[in-house]
Structure formats: structure tokens, C-alpha cells
Amino acid sequence: MRPPQSEVSATALLQLWLGQHRQTAVFLDVDGTLLDIAETPGAVHVPPGLVDALAQLHRRLDGALALISGRPVEELDRLFHPLRLPASGAHGAYWRETGDSPLRRTGKDLPACVRVRLNALACANPGVLAEDKGSSFALHYRAVPERAPLLREALLALLDAPEGAGLRLLGGKRVYEIVVDGVDKAVAVRRLMATAAFAGRCPLFIGDDLTDHPALVLMSGLQGLGLSVGRTLPGASAVFADAAAVRTALITAAGGNHR
């Protein structure tokens, strides 16, 4: 019998669920959850032992472990090379069922006129980093946090314009992102839960940001478990202190040594 989740730490809950490996499916956000947030998306570091731990857990779960990220899937493959996992990228717009499956697409590209306006907005605000993902477009303002109100105002104005129809604004950790409607991390989880490796299992999702909120809230409806990182988010039953704590728990559960 499982103890009440409110009385158990995030690490203990993770270990409990991973101990029931034939019943559990694991979904992991990347930035802020597996990896420490860096000044730019390209500056993140994958610590030693993490790739081996994920590979070991993926085997133990018979393939029911996936990465659910705002990053493109191609970037996930580069970060965790040579490991290729089931994955969903760009907030659910792209996905693959297994590491060997072809990449599928569900979201449309942002209109060209929108991408031009977003690039122009980044150029008009030195220090803002533009990241064009096709079906979404991120403006990172970590280097110039004082620009946040101006960026938000400009992005809301864009959404109110005719070319903003069918788009929405996501806020993250020092980043704003324009995405197409109809995709999010809950959609990504539901899609993978319908595939062979994940079907019939209870999902466990770990995330750290508001973009993870839809997937965390989804967990209770699927008899699953949501865990957050750094702060309590809606849908989370317990909280890891930081990404390092998540890595330690995963590497320990996989039987490796944390460094």
C-alpha cells in the first residue's frame, strides 16, 4: 500500500514509483528539471552519469521513459548523445514514439510575418536572444530582465493583431514564447500514452515551469503523479529542491553514482 503522497518527499515518491517499473511511465522536462538553467539554451551542461542513468531507467521501464521539452527534438538528441529516447519537442508540436521512430509533427509553423516581427523585436532590444523553432518562437531575456514588461506588452499587442490569430503566449523562466494553439505538454503526454510502450501504465511527470503546468495537472486524471522542481506548481504532489536533486534521485534509482 502506498503511503499518502503529502507525507512523502519527492525523492521517496520517485523511488516508490520507479520501483513499480512495470506499471509506471516516466515523462521528464529538460531545462530546469534535468539540467540547470544556463544563460543561453546552448550553454547548458549535461553532468556525468545522467545519460547512463536515463538509459538504464529507459531499459528498466521497457521503453516507457520520454523527454517532454520546449526544445526541438534534434537538440535533445545532441544534448544526450548517444542516447535517443521517446520525445516530444517544441511544447508538443513534434514527437516520436521511440528513439528509432521517425519524427512526427502536429503543429503548424508560425506565419512568416509573425516570425519577422519577432525577430525585429529581438533586434530592437539588445541582449534579447531570439530562438525560432518553427512552430514556436522564444525570446530569452535572461541577460536583460528589465526588458520583460516591454517584451510582454509587444507580444500581447501582436496576439491582438489579425496575424496573431491562433497563437498564444507562454511565459517561462526569463523567456516569453509564442506558440501555435492546440499543442502543449499535456497533449504530448496523452499522445505518447497511447503508444505501445506507455499504454496501460500510470504516468509520472516532473517539471519546473509554467509550461509544464498542463502536464502536471493532467496527472491526477490519468491516475498519475506530478512532481515539480524549485517550487510547488498546480498538480504537483511534492517538490524537488532543484535540478541537481532530480538528477541525484534518478542516478541513485538507476544504481549509479552521483557526481
Side-chain angles (χ1 to χ4, degrees):
M1 179 177 177
R2 293 175 180 170
Q5 294 183 357
S6 60
E7 299 177 7
V8 185
S9 71
T11 295
L13 280 171
L14 177 63
Q15 292 172 345
L16 184 65
W17 278 60
L18 289 177
Q20 303 177 65
H21 56 88
R22 296 190 184 281
Q23 303 172 35
T24 301
V26 175
F27 299 92
L28 301 168
D29 172 53
V30 176
D31 292 272
T33 297
L34 289 178
L35 306 180
D36 299 327
I37 298 290
E39 286 300 313
T40 66
V44 295
H45 171 63
V46 181
L50 179 58
V51 172
D52 287 344
L54 292 175
Q56 173 62 26
L57 292 171
H58 179 251
R59 289 191 293 269
R60 187 181 303 169
L61 292 162
D62 297 321
L65 183 148
L67 302 177
I68 309 293
S69 178
R71 288 179 180 266
V73 174
E74 295 86 353
E75 285 192 19
L76 301 178
D77 291 342
R78 175 183 60 80
L79 285 171
F80 296 100
H81 180 80
L83 182 61
R84 290 171 59 94
L85 294 170
S88 183
H91 305 288
Y94 300 86
W95 68 287
R96 66 178 178 222
E97 181 174 345
T98 72
D100 297 324
S101 299
L103 192 62
R104 303 183 187 184
R105 177 177 182 170
T106 56
K108 299 179 180 179
D109 272 349
L110 295 177
C113 60
V114 170
R115 295 159 79 178
V116 168
R117 285 186 59 171
L118 292 172
N119 271 307
L121 182 59
C123 290
N125 290 274
V128 173
L129 174 65
E131 187 183 12
D132 189 344
K133 306 175 189 178
S135 61
S136 64
F137 196 110
L139 294 173
H140 299 268
Y141 57 88
R142 182 164 297 275
V144 284
E146 69 278 5
R147 297 281 180 172
L150 182 151
L151 291 175
R152 179 176 174 81
E153 182 179 355
L155 293 172
L156 290 175
L158 170 61
L159 294 182
D160 283 339
E163 58 266 36
L167 307 178
R168 72 182 193 278
L169 176 65
L170 293 179
K173 293 180 176 177
R174 304 283 175 92
V175 60
Y176 287 126
E177 191 158 359
I178 296 292
V179 301
V180 296
D181 277 337
V183 295
D184 60 32
K185 292 187 178 182
V187 170
V189 169
R190 283 190 181 277
R191 188 184 298 124
L192 283 168
M193 284 295 293
T195 65
F198 297 85
R201 292 172 176 254
C202 295
L204 183 161
F205 182 89
I206 310 178
D208 75 302
D209 209 347
L210 293 179
T211 58
D212 301 310
H213 177 208
L216 286 167
V217 171
L218 174 67
M219 290 301 100
S220 62
L222 298 180
Q223 303 302 309
L225 172 69
L227 302 174
S228 58
V229 184
R231 55 179 168 162
T232 302
L233 292 172
S237 297
V239 184
F240 287 99
D242 50 28
V246 178
R247 292 193 297 270
T248 297
L250 290 170
I251 291 171
T252 300
N257 295 316
H258 176 67
R259 302 180 192 177

